[in-house]
Amino acid sequence: MMNKQKFIDKFMAAFVLLAMFKIIGIVAQLFHESFWSVIGTLIIFLIVAFIIFMVIVALKDKEQNEQNSRRKAAGGGNFYLETSLFDRIRSKYEELAEKYIAEKDYKKAAKVYMNLLQDNYRGAKTLENGEFYNEAAAVYLKKLKNKSDAATCYEKAKQYKKAIDLYKEMEQKEKVGDLYKEINDLKNAHTYYQMVADDYTTNKQMVKASLVYRKKMEKTDEAQKILLKGWEEDKDAFNCLNNYFANIFDLKKLETEIQELYAKTPAYKKIIYLDALKHEFKKDPKLQTTIRNIAYEIIAEKVGTRSEIVNELKYFNPDDEVILKDISRFKTGRNKMFRN
């Protein structure tokens, strides 16, 4: 019991000493921070110090009133007391921070988190939630070394050049392009978008490259060229062809492209071409005759080696019940031939 009592007395003495040093440190901030900012920090510290002092006094009284029970737990008492004390202090800090947040005093809440709870992340997040984006960015960057969240905050603060520098360091080229576009620096924006498109092309992600050209750079012709390249070089061929057709809005031009591309399609890719035609067939009745004729030609060519391809006829004749019976008779006849 005496050891515990001495622990509390020593803790109180240490706390008073630390409080004095802290007050001196806060006052020293006057040399590089505003007077009212330092006064605010000092007031917060004094309030919290008073709370801690009262907790220590209460614990000291409790020790004196529970001498008998404390004798039984003498071995682990110091550890329990220390843990309990710091848990109570932390709880008071948490309550104080929550109180400031409820009052929308986000800066004071952030100081409690950073200075008293040593939680820089929650401090930065509190500043961000309070829309103090520049202050939050500084904490993310200097104390947490978190470039991503810092860049996001600079972007929210419309500090685009600072955000751009960070995104460049993180090699987020598309984001750099987006922010250059935001400040109407189209030359630099397109430079970075081109890098992104080139990276996608190198990695055979032709559809993504085309989206950069079309949506970011507004270069529809370049987008179509890259999709055609993907189709011709078998780099995600189906999706490239499907997107290529989807980007043609003039029906006459689309009909011509469908015919001309089919004429140049090698035999091994005709099944893929047929799959793409299923999507185009539904677009407009004016395209259906041309597409149906090409589909018939592909099916007739492939049926000898892939009998199941006759099932594709129903996609190009959705309202024709007779053709479904013809398909069924064809399959039945072919099965009989194999059994014989």
Side-chain angles (χ1 to χ4, degrees):
M1 188 273 292
M2 288 299 295
N3 287 338
K4 294 173 190 176
Q5 193 66 44
K6 287 179 181 179
F7 170 77
I8 295 176
D9 292 340
K10 288 179 179 179
F11 188 87
M12 182 180 289
F15 173 73
V16 171
L17 185 61
L18 287 172
M20 291 173 62
F21 283 122
K22 182 66 177 178
I23 291 169
I24 292 169
I26 292 171
V27 172
Q29 291 178 4
L30 281 169
F31 291 103
H32 54 84
E33 291 189 16
S34 69
F35 174 78
W36 289 113
S37 174
V38 173
I39 291 299
T41 302
L42 182 60
I43 291 171
I44 293 171
F45 177 76
L46 291 175
I47 292 170
V48 175
F50 177 74
I51 292 169
I52 296 171
F53 179 78
M54 294 304 295
V55 170
I56 295 171
V57 170
L59 285 172
K60 189 172 181 179
D61 291 342
K62 187 176 180 181
E63 286 297 319
Q64 292 173 345
N65 294 331
E66 297 179 358
Q67 294 179 8
N68 293 333
S69 60
R70 288 185 177 278
R71 286 195 190 98
K72 296 177 183 178
N78 283 352
F79 175 79
Y80 170 78
L81 177 62
E82 186 175 353
T83 303
S84 175
L85 175 62
F86 282 105
D87 283 346
R88 290 188 187 188
I89 292 171
R90 184 175 183 82
S91 177
K92 292 296 181 183
Y93 289 160
E94 294 281 359
E95 289 175 11
L96 185 62
E98 289 170 10
K99 173 179 174 291
Y100 284 137
I101 290 172
E103 295 172 354
K104 300 192 183 302
D105 197 339
Y106 296 98
K107 283 190 174 182
K108 285 185 180 179
K111 285 181 179 179
V112 172
Y113 283 129
M114 292 187 290
N115 296 339
L116 302 177
L117 288 168
Q118 302 299 306
D119 190 336
N120 291 323
Y121 181 79
R122 279 207 288 174
K125 206 68 186 172
T126 299
L127 289 168
E128 185 179 353
N129 291 339
E131 299 183 3
F132 295 101
Y133 298 124
N134 283 306
E135 293 87 341
V139 177
Y140 280 129
L141 200 56
K142 294 176 183 177
K143 294 185 179 292
L144 297 168
K145 311 300 180 188
N146 186 332
K147 293 180 181 179
S148 179
D149 284 342
T152 300
C153 284
Y154 280 134
E155 188 178 348
K156 289 177 179 178
K158 301 190 185 300
Q159 298 285 331
Y160 294 120
K161 290 188 176 180
K162 290 183 179 180
I164 285 170
D165 288 341
L166 289 176
Y167 284 125
K168 282 180 179 177
E169 290 179 25
M170 294 184 286
E171 297 186 351
Q172 293 189 24
K173 299 169 189 174
E174 188 168 350
K175 194 66 182 177
V176 173
D178 290 343
L179 293 186
Y180 272 129
K181 192 173 183 180
E182 186 70 28
I183 60 176
N184 293 316
D185 186 345
L186 295 183
K187 182 179 179 181
N188 275 318
H190 283 201
T191 297
Y192 277 87
Y193 285 146
Q194 187 65 56
M195 291 180 192
V196 176
D198 290 344
D199 287 344
Y200 281 138
T201 302
T202 300
N203 293 324
K204 301 180 181 181
Q205 295 175 289
M206 315 304 268
V207 174
K208 287 186 176 181
S210 76
L211 290 173
V212 174
Y213 280 120
R214 188 162 60 87
K215 292 190 173 181
K216 301 285 187 175
M217 303 172 75
E218 299 178 2
K219 293 183 177 181
T220 304
D221 290 343
E222 291 298 320
Q224 291 296 80
K225 284 179 185 177
I226 205 73
L227 289 170
L228 202 55
K229 180 180 173 71
W231 161 249
E232 292 171 349
E233 296 180 2
D234 293 333
K235 296 173 180 176
D236 195 12
F238 172 78
N239 286 320
C240 284
L241 184 62
N242 193 34
N243 278 272
Y244 180 81
F245 287 150
N247 292 334
I248 302 173
F249 302 103
D250 181 272
L251 287 179
K252 291 298 291 182
K253 184 178 180 182
L254 178 57
E255 185 177 18
T256 301
E257 285 292 313
I258 288 171
Q259 291 172 316
E260 290 182 356
L261 275 183
Y262 173 66
K264 295 184 286 187
T265 298
Y268 77 94
K269 289 170 73 172
K270 286 186 177 179
I271 298 297
I272 300 174
Y273 203 89
L274 185 66
D275 287 338
L277 289 182
K278 292 179 190 177
H279 294 271
E280 302 312 306
F281 185 80
K282 298 174 184 177
K283 279 185 178 178
D284 195 288
K286 294 176 183 176
L287 295 171
Q288 290 182 354
T289 300
T290 298
I291 291 174
R292 188 184 288 115
N293 289 337
I294 294 173
Y296 284 172
E297 189 174 323
I298 295 172
I299 292 167
E301 181 182 323
K302 299 295 181 182
V303 72
T305 54
R306 297 183 59 167
S307 60
E308 73 279 4
I309 201 172
V310 296
N311 291 316
E312 307 292 347
L313 288 170
K314 63 188 177 184
Y315 290 102
F316 304 97
N317 298 276
D319 301 320
D320 190 342
E321 294 181 4
V322 175
I323 204 162
L324 294 176
K325 294 177 182 178
D326 290 341
I327 292 170
S328 180
R329 281 197 295 271
F330 174 84
K331 291 166 72 176
T332 302
R334 192 169 181 82
N335 289 338
K336 283 182 181 178
M337 181 182 73
F338 279 116
R339 284 199 296 271
N340 293 334

